[in-house]
Amino acid sequence: MKKIQFLSILLISISGFSQNDFLSKYVEAESFLNTNEIDSAYIKFKELEENVPKNDTLYDYALWYRTMTATHLQEVYRFEQKFDKSLFYALDALESINKGKERFDDEFAKREYFMVKNVIVAYYGLGNFAEGKRWKKKMYDAKKKGTLPEGIDEYFNYDFFKFENKNIWGYEWFEELPEDRFSKSFTKVIYYVYSTNPDGSDKDQLYRLHVLMFHNIDPSNGIDYVLTKRLETAKNEVSGTLYSYTYKEDIDFEKLKNDVKEVLKGNLEPETKNVVKRQKE
């Protein structure tokens, strides 16, 4: 696992601790960090946070590092598509963040909704779309209250999976359908498709799949959004509107994810299409 970049706040005076056994356990937890054994470090910091008195100088450090290690582990397991473990650590990190909001600064408090979106990604990865929808409501409620931090106040990552040698990232925008469908055009959801480096990280964005507002002439047809493919660096690909893939305002995200996988497989080409002129170099 990659090493966590911790803040340089580890200069703790031994005289500030009230009990030597807690200090020794802290030193043990720190040693696991130094050897990059993040799972073991997390366990020790969690034990400390749950047992050190809250008025002890050590408590804030234990809480801080429990949050950081849990945050790191949920990210690692999410990228490995081990969504059960990712969910466990995301929920634990969220619990720690809520404990720390009153003890640390505003920057720490901003972590809350970034972690909420990680919980959503885990539920979507597990195929629990109902629970994912319930957690999405927390994001929309916070948007209405104006409490979302910058970077997640207009859209948020809600899904991630791998397909063959590609990374697929799903993002959702908060914008809602206007009454006048011809007053604007906007994208509600985008799935970004990336090629990967040897270590599995994102390399080049190949194309995007937009869930685009449908300019509905006949409302009775029940079409509110349509899937559209737009290219970036992909070669010899087809782009255009995929009229076989349409959605109502309350998008069925399970259907959408299955549709995206079908497009990734190349099982269905768009009925209206523009063949991109890029050729292999």
Side-chain angles (χ1 to χ4, degrees):
M1 293 180 180
K2 58 185 179 182
K3 199 171 183 68
I4 300 177
Q5 300 297 318
F6 291 107
L7 298 183
S8 55
I9 59 170
L10 198 57
L11 300 177
I12 306 171
S13 169
I14 293 178
S15 61
F17 300 123
S18 60
Q19 297 184 39
N20 287 333
D21 57 339
F22 288 143
L23 177 57
S24 65
K25 289 180 181 179
Y26 182 89
V27 172
E28 182 181 7
E30 184 191 14
S31 70
F32 284 125
L33 290 181
N34 293 334
T35 56
N36 208 28
E37 297 174 82
I38 310 304
D39 302 75
S40 298
Y42 160 78
I43 292 171
K44 294 299 180 184
F45 284 123
K46 182 177 181 179
E47 289 176 353
L48 277 169
E49 188 277 324
E50 291 175 341
N51 290 284
V52 174
K54 289 183 173 56
N55 61 352
D56 192 302
T57 308
L58 188 57
Y59 179 79
D60 282 353
Y61 291 95
L63 177 59
W64 177 273
Y65 284 115
R66 173 184 175 179
T67 307
M68 297 301 105
T69 51
T71 297
H72 176 76
L73 290 169
Q74 68 80 25
E75 180 182 2
V76 169
Y77 287 120
R78 173 163 43 94
F79 195 69
E80 293 177 352
Q81 299 185 96
K82 296 177 181 177
F83 294 111
D84 53 344
K85 291 185 177 180
S86 180
L87 178 61
F88 172 84
Y89 288 111
L91 291 171
D92 188 86
L94 186 59
E95 178 185 337
S96 299
I97 290 166
N98 285 323
K99 288 181 180 180
K101 285 193 296 186
E102 302 301 320
R103 304 182 74 92
F104 302 126
D105 59 17
D106 291 341
E107 288 301 312
F108 184 90
K110 290 178 182 179
R111 296 172 181 269
E112 178 182 3
Y113 286 103
F114 284 97
M115 194 54 61
V116 168
K117 68 93 177 170
N118 292 332
V119 171
I120 295 169
V121 172
Y123 275 122
Y124 272 80
L126 290 168
N128 192 336
F129 297 94
E131 197 64 15
K133 183 176 182 179
R134 188 176 74 84
W135 279 81
K136 272 186 182 179
K137 185 177 184 302
K138 297 177 185 291
M139 300 292 290
Y140 277 83
D141 289 345
K143 173 66 176 178
K144 291 177 182 177
K145 295 176 183 176
T147 56
L148 291 173
E150 185 178 356
I152 205 170
D153 55 335
E154 297 297 331
Y155 54 86
F156 60 96
N157 172 220
Y158 76 92
D159 196 12
F160 170 77
F161 63 94
K162 295 177 181 286
F163 177 82
E164 294 179 346
N165 60 341
K166 300 177 183 68
N167 289 338
I168 319 300
W169 300 87
Y171 282 77
E172 180 173 344
W173 271 250
F174 289 105
E175 192 167 3
E176 304 287 354
L177 287 171
E179 289 187 15
D180 181 0
R181 291 294 180 85
F182 292 93
S183 65
K184 65 193 301 186
S185 181
F186 78 96
T187 295
K188 181 63 177 176
V189 174
I190 298 180
Y191 273 91
Y192 295 92
V193 180
Y194 281 86
S195 62
T196 54
N197 294 303
D199 66 354
S201 60
D202 293 343
K203 185 180 180 182
D204 298 316
Q205 187 185 129
L206 301 174
Y207 55 88
R208 308 183 306 275
L209 296 172
H210 289 242
V211 177
L212 189 67
M213 184 187 77
F214 186 66
H215 289 140
N216 209 348
I217 298 174
D218 179 11
S220 66
N221 62 25
I223 299 174
D224 294 312
Y225 296 102
V226 63
L227 198 62
T228 302
K229 184 178 179 181
R230 296 179 178 176
L231 303 190
E232 285 294 333
T233 63
K235 309 294 184 182
N236 295 330
E237 286 275 0
V238 174
S239 68
T241 304
L242 304 166
Y243 287 110
S244 294
Y245 300 121
T246 60
Y247 312 94
K248 295 183 179 180
E249 183 173 6
D250 185 11
I251 297 171
D252 181 339
F253 279 90
E254 182 175 7
K255 177 183 182 300
L256 171 58
K257 187 166 185 173
N258 289 332
D259 289 349
V260 167
K261 290 180 178 179
E262 288 302 310
V263 174
L264 290 168
K265 294 174 186 175
N267 284 350
L268 184 66
E269 290 191 348
E271 285 77 359
T272 300
K273 61 184 179 183
N274 303 308
V275 179
V276 171
K277 299 188 182 221
R278 291 193 189 100
Q279 301 295 325
K280 290 184 179 178
E281 299 173 355

